[in-house]
Amino acid sequence: MGFVSLLVVALMPVVEVLLVVLLGAYLASGRCNLLTAAARADINRVVYAVFTPALMLASLARTVTLQDAISWWFMPVNIGIIFLTGGVLGWVVVLLLRPPQHLRGLVVASCSAANFGNLLLIVIPAVCREDGNPFGGGDICTDRGLSYASFSMALGGLYIWTHTNSVMKRSSEIYRKTMIAHEIHDPKDSLVRSEEERWKQDAEEDDGDEEDGVVSLPSESSSGVHEKLLTPLLPTGDHQRSGCSNNTSGNSMWDKLKHGTHQIVEELTAPPTVGAVLGFIVGVVPWLRYTFVGNDAPLRVVQDSLKLLGDAAVPCVTLILGGNLTKGVRKTTVSRWVIAAIICVRYVILPMVGVVVIKSARTLGFLPPDPLYQYVLMLQFALPPAMSIGTMAQLYDVAQEECSVIFLWTYLIAALAVTAWSTVFMSILAA
């Protein structure tokens, strides 16, 4: 498989994502004004509570069997290594570059959480269709590749909606507490202004942006309004704690333990996580699989309906990403050094770690002999950040503009980085 052919294969999925992002940016611009900030928030609710769980459930139930789950045991370990290594490197970036408080969770999330789903679902079948690839051709290669990619997407979603969601949520809570403390100690701050004055200022800012063809997202001064919008998604306890005084310092160790356990349970019961767990159960339990999956399954209409809902997750998230970009390009506060550090972690350090990890695992006999499976494991180290991070940024009203700018640059660089590392990975496996 030549470099030019591989370049075309690797460029196609990234170009598709960028085209949908540009469409989202146009829909949110002042020229069109269709994908407003309120609309993006509402769509995010649906993506979080309906589309993503349906995607996880339908994908795992259809592609993963008990035998596959046993033979592919190293894939969840591999993704865990990516999250651990990327998270550590992300905190190193935070410690060295000292970004603003509201960006720290975003930096860690961008370094640790990758796009384990839709990019692999496009790249792997495209590689299998190319003549001369080292994995064979035809439907056999495509079917195996789709199974690996679907398993990767489900496992990645499980990690993302537990670990990454917790990081972004915690970052939002810390930032809001810092802002509240700052407003209390600063009598000139916006805290003393009435709610009508805040809305007036936001409306003036939006009008100014519309004159330039750009629709602004809600400002930080309207965080209270956004908190009300997001209340159905945020746990009641967290919503109440966001405005209470710091009287928890005297809590006992038992209260802190209960609070930590409650937080863990909340993350594990998030709708995307529940969807992934249910899909895994349906896939590995034979009688459940025969009931829901297959042309002869008596309840196949349920599986088909879930797949129909899940197919809407990726385009909705990508459109929202483009909509958030309209403000992020002009008003972002993210440093170019932070962007460069994230790109370095994602496309230089992590892929090199991946080569070492997979070659070591293959030498120790931990991996099946299928080179396509090993290729997918390596490619997981070289993917751009997960688009679900944008959903979380919108969900918790933190670093939305900066997230869009980081995504713009990381996905542009991905066109070259994924191509280059794909060539390296194939040469290693073909040796």
Side-chain angles (χ1 to χ4, degrees):
M1 190 175 186
F3 180 82
V4 176
S5 299
L6 183 59
L7 176 65
V8 174
V9 170
L11 276 176
M12 288 303 103
V14 180
V15 171
E16 289 177 7
V17 171
L18 292 177
L19 288 176
V20 180
V21 166
L22 291 176
L23 175 61
Y26 172 74
L27 293 177
S29 66
R31 191 181 299 263
C32 184
N33 199 24
L34 181 61
L35 199 60
T36 61
R40 295 197 294 273
D42 292 336
I43 294 174
N44 261 303
R45 288 186 178 90
V46 180
V47 171
Y48 174 78
V50 180
F51 292 162
T52 302
L55 181 64
M56 298 292 101
L57 203 163
S59 176
L60 266 178
R62 185 180 69 254
T63 60
V64 178
T65 64
L66 180 59
Q67 183 179 358
D68 292 335
I70 295 174
S71 61
W72 301 345
W73 66 270
F74 191 79
M75 186 176 288
V77 176
N78 193 64
I79 296 178
I81 293 173
I82 296 173
F83 271 85
L84 177 61
T85 307
V88 171
L89 293 172
W91 278 116
V92 171
V93 171
V94 169
L95 292 175
L96 292 178
L97 300 181
R98 300 284 183 177
Q101 180 66 52
H102 69 292
L103 293 183
R104 295 180 182 180
L106 175 62
V107 171
V108 175
S110 299
C111 291
S112 58
N115 191 338
F116 296 109
N118 54 304
L119 275 184
L120 289 179
L121 288 173
I122 300 173
V123 170
I124 302 303
V127 170
C128 289
R129 288 193 297 266
E130 291 295 329
D131 296 333
N133 73 82
F135 313 122
D139 295 336
I140 297 178
C141 175
T142 301
D143 291 341
R144 284 189 293 114
L146 287 176
S147 297
Y148 298 150
S150 298
F151 194 42
S152 172
M153 177 178 63
L155 291 173
L158 190 62
Y159 277 92
I160 289 168
W161 286 103
T162 51
H163 172 269
T164 307
N165 186 55
S166 177
V167 169
M168 294 293 291
K169 181 179 177 182
R170 181 62 177 165
S171 177
S172 174
E173 292 174 350
I174 294 175
Y175 176 63
R176 289 186 181 182
K177 290 179 181 178
T178 303
M179 291 296 295
I180 291 173
H182 174 70
E183 290 173 352
I184 290 175
H185 288 87
D186 188 356
K188 297 181 180 180
D189 207 276
S190 61
L191 188 65
V192 300
R193 292 180 301 172
S194 64
E195 194 68 29
E196 290 79 11
E197 289 174 339
R198 297 180 185 181
W199 276 106
K200 182 179 180 180
Q201 182 187 20
D202 292 340
E204 290 174 354
E205 292 177 356
D206 290 343
D207 292 340
D209 284 334
E210 288 177 6
E211 292 176 0
D212 296 333
V214 177
V215 176
S216 293
L217 295 177
S219 64
E220 293 296 339
S221 63
S222 62
S223 61
V225 178
H226 268 256
E227 224 171 291
K228 294 177 183 178
L229 289 173
L230 298 176
T231 298
L233 286 177
L234 296 177
T236 304
D238 290 341
H239 183 66
Q240 293 171 349
R241 284 191 299 272
S242 64
C244 64
S245 61
N246 189 22
N247 55 7
T248 60
S249 58
N251 286 352
S252 65
M253 183 63 68
W254 173 248
D255 291 334
K256 294 179 180 179
L257 180 61
K258 286 195 299 183
H259 173 68
T261 304
H262 180 66
Q263 288 290 100
I264 294 173
V265 171
E266 284 180 353
E267 303 301 341
L268 292 178
T269 55
T273 306
V274 173
V277 172
L278 291 177
F280 185 81
I281 293 174
V282 172
V284 300
V285 177
W287 68 269
L288 284 175
R289 185 180 180 87
Y290 296 145
T291 302
F292 291 97
V293 182
N295 295 329
D296 299 327
L299 296 180
R300 65 183 181 276
V301 65
V302 177
Q303 170 71 10
D304 294 340
S305 300
L306 290 171
K307 184 180 183 300
L308 183 64
L309 289 171
D311 289 342
V314 173
C316 286
V317 170
T318 313
L319 284 173
I320 292 169
L321 176 64
N324 291 342
L325 186 64
T326 56
K327 182 178 179 182
V329 171
R330 294 170 60 90
K331 300 184 179 180
T332 181
T333 59
V334 62
S335 166
R336 64 184 65 182
W337 291 107
V338 171
I339 297 176
I342 294 173
I343 290 174
C344 181
V345 169
R346 288 242 63 99
Y347 300 131
V348 178
I349 301 176
L350 280 178
M352 291 191 295
V353 172
V355 172
V356 175
V357 169
I358 303 307
K359 290 188 69 173
S360 301
R362 184 173 63 173
T363 302
L364 295 173
F366 292 161
L367 306 180
D370 186 5
L372 181 59
Y373 176 71
Q374 299 175 18
Y375 171 75
V376 171
L377 294 180
M378 287 186 175
L379 196 59
Q380 288 174 342
F381 283 88
L383 296 171
M387 288 192 294
S388 300
I389 299 173
T391 299
M392 297 170 194
Q394 182 90 26
L395 205 61
Y396 300 121
D397 192 19
V398 58
Q400 299 172 47
E401 304 88 0
E402 293 84 354
C403 179
S404 298
V405 173
I406 289 174
F407 272 44
L408 174 65
W409 286 106
T410 51
Y411 274 81
L412 284 174
I413 301 298
L416 298 176
V418 173
T419 301
W421 282 110
S422 295
T423 305
V424 173
F425 297 154
M426 288 183 183
S427 62
I428 292 173
L429 295 172

